[in-house]
Amino acid sequence: MNDHALYARALTKSYGGTRVLDGLDLAVPRGSVLALLGPNGAGKTTTVRILATLTAPDSGTARVAGHDIAGARSLVRERIALTGQFAALDDLQTGTETLRMTGRLAGLSARDARTRADELLERFGLTEAAGRLAKTYSGGMRRRLDLAASLVGRPEVLFLDEPTTGLDPRSRLELWDAVREMRADGTTVLLTTQYLEEADRLADRVTVLDSGRVTAEGTPAELKARVAGHRLDLTLTSRRAYETLAARAVHHDPDDLTLGLATDGSAAQVRALLDELDPDRTAVARFALRSATLDDVFLALTGAAR
């Protein structure tokens, strides 16, 4: 347990008659990135809120940065930071003012708060905009400033709850670079995301949640291998052919009449699949072989609509 920045056992949480978490276990090594994946309502945000001491579990135990979330809430809060889905900034403060104020609230001296603010403004590429009001920042700049504010107190654990929601591709890449830098500095990151590519690029390990339970966990490569090393995409000639073969597929695209089937990628298995599924050579219009992705894992291991 001491080797883990986050450790949880048998966490449960219900709201009314809805069971949001149902015996959740987590173990996240220090200095690593864990991605929590799952459909809407799977329990991702509730997990973050419990570990960040914002919500109490109904049952179960958890330790964050070595401290119990129930018995040592103040110690946990001293060692964590949380960045939610939307930037929490005062639009009437400049970037510099935001970070200096955060530093003072974190207990830094005025001198140390100034130094830390300057360090973070440079690190996140905001030095030139430091004197501008936050309301003039672009969406990507606001997210970077919000993330910088989370790091003022040098947290041991950082919770990122869907941090790139609404960002353009360039801003998303910039935020990914920032997460990699934090990991390199030894910060433990728990990331919830709806972007499967994001988890694939950033996470050391992935935990897939569905209906409040862990349905799979491992490295991105392990999870992709579990579903299939490769995927054979078949475009069918008719709706009838599509519906006949749909139960065999791990990927479904009814609009284009395309199904994806698990395969090891070998020529022998691809030929065998095509002969098995389309012996008369009338059902398949064309096919393509591609590597499996976390999208395939997500659809295969959760109850997400296909």
Side-chain angles (χ1 to χ4, degrees):
M1 188 182 301
N2 291 333
D3 294 331
H4 295 98
L6 297 168
Y7 185 88
R9 280 293 175 266
L11 291 180
T12 68
K13 184 68 178 180
S14 297
Y15 292 101
T18 302
R19 188 86 151 182
V20 180
L21 291 183
D22 191 11
L24 177 70
D25 296 336
L26 286 178
V28 185
R30 296 180 185 274
S32 65
V33 178
L34 174 74
L36 282 183
L37 301 183
N40 291 331
K44 302 186 300 296
T45 297
T46 298
T47 299
V48 169
R49 290 183 59 82
I50 288 174
L51 295 176
T53 74
L54 298 177
T55 299
D58 295 335
S59 63
T61 61
R63 298 179 70 83
V64 175
H67 301 284
D68 183 77
I69 60 170
R73 292 176 63 194
S74 61
L75 292 176
V76 170
R77 290 180 176 183
E78 289 174 4
R79 289 160 173 79
I80 67 172
L82 169 62
T83 298
Q85 297 180 28
F86 306 100
L89 302 173
D90 183 341
D91 284 343
L92 299 182
Q93 284 189 321
T94 66
T96 296
E97 290 169 343
T98 296
L99 298 185
R100 288 182 181 179
M101 179 195 71
T102 304
R104 294 293 282 154
L105 291 173
L108 300 181
S109 67
R111 179 178 179 179
D112 288 345
R114 288 195 300 271
T115 300
R116 184 63 173 155
D118 291 343
E119 290 174 355
L120 290 169
L121 288 166
E122 181 176 1
R123 178 175 180 179
F124 286 94
L126 295 170
T127 300
E128 292 185 4
R132 287 168 42 192
L133 296 179
K135 68 180 181 180
T136 69
Y137 283 19
S138 67
M141 293 169 67
R142 291 175 65 85
R143 295 302 289 161
R144 298 206 305 276
L145 180 60
D146 193 36
L147 190 55
S150 297
L151 297 179
V152 167
R154 293 184 171 86
E156 294 180 38
V157 178
L158 177 63
F159 297 101
L160 298 178
D161 191 13
E162 300 190 18
T164 59
T165 297
L167 292 187
D168 60 74
R170 181 181 297 276
S171 297
R172 185 172 295 130
L173 291 174
E174 291 172 348
L175 197 65
W176 290 356
D177 286 340
V179 173
R180 294 188 185 100
E181 289 181 14
M182 287 182 281
R183 179 189 179 280
D185 288 344
T187 303
T188 303
V189 179
L190 189 150
L191 167 74
T192 75
T193 181
Q194 296 279 7
Y195 298 107
L196 285 302
E197 182 188 8
E198 189 162 88
D200 208 354
R201 295 277 195 96
L202 298 178
D204 297 295
R205 294 185 67 80
V206 173
T207 293
V208 182
L209 297 183
D210 195 20
S211 301
R213 296 181 178 181
V214 175
T215 60
E217 54 187 343
T219 67
E222 288 170 347
L223 292 180
K224 286 183 283 188
R226 173 174 170 175
V227 173
H230 292 79
R231 198 178 82 192
L232 181 65
D233 283 354
L234 306 177
T235 300
L236 287 309
T237 57
S238 67
R239 178 69 57 182
R240 181 178 180 181
Y242 176 92
E243 293 174 351
T244 299
L245 299 177
R248 293 282 302 273
V250 297
H251 172 78
H252 301 71
D253 186 346
D255 293 333
D256 291 334
L257 296 181
T258 298
L259 297 171
L261 285 83
T263 174
D264 62 11
S266 68
Q269 190 181 59
V270 170
R271 289 192 188 100
L273 272 173
L274 289 172
D275 287 341
E276 175 190 353
L277 299 172
D278 188 16
D280 299 329
R281 301 188 179 184
T282 59
V284 177
R286 57 184 180 274
F287 68 89
L289 185 66
R290 58 192 293 276
S291 297
T293 68
L294 282 183
D295 293 71
D296 302 318
V297 174
F298 184 85
L299 292 172
L301 299 179
T302 72
R306 287 171 165 80

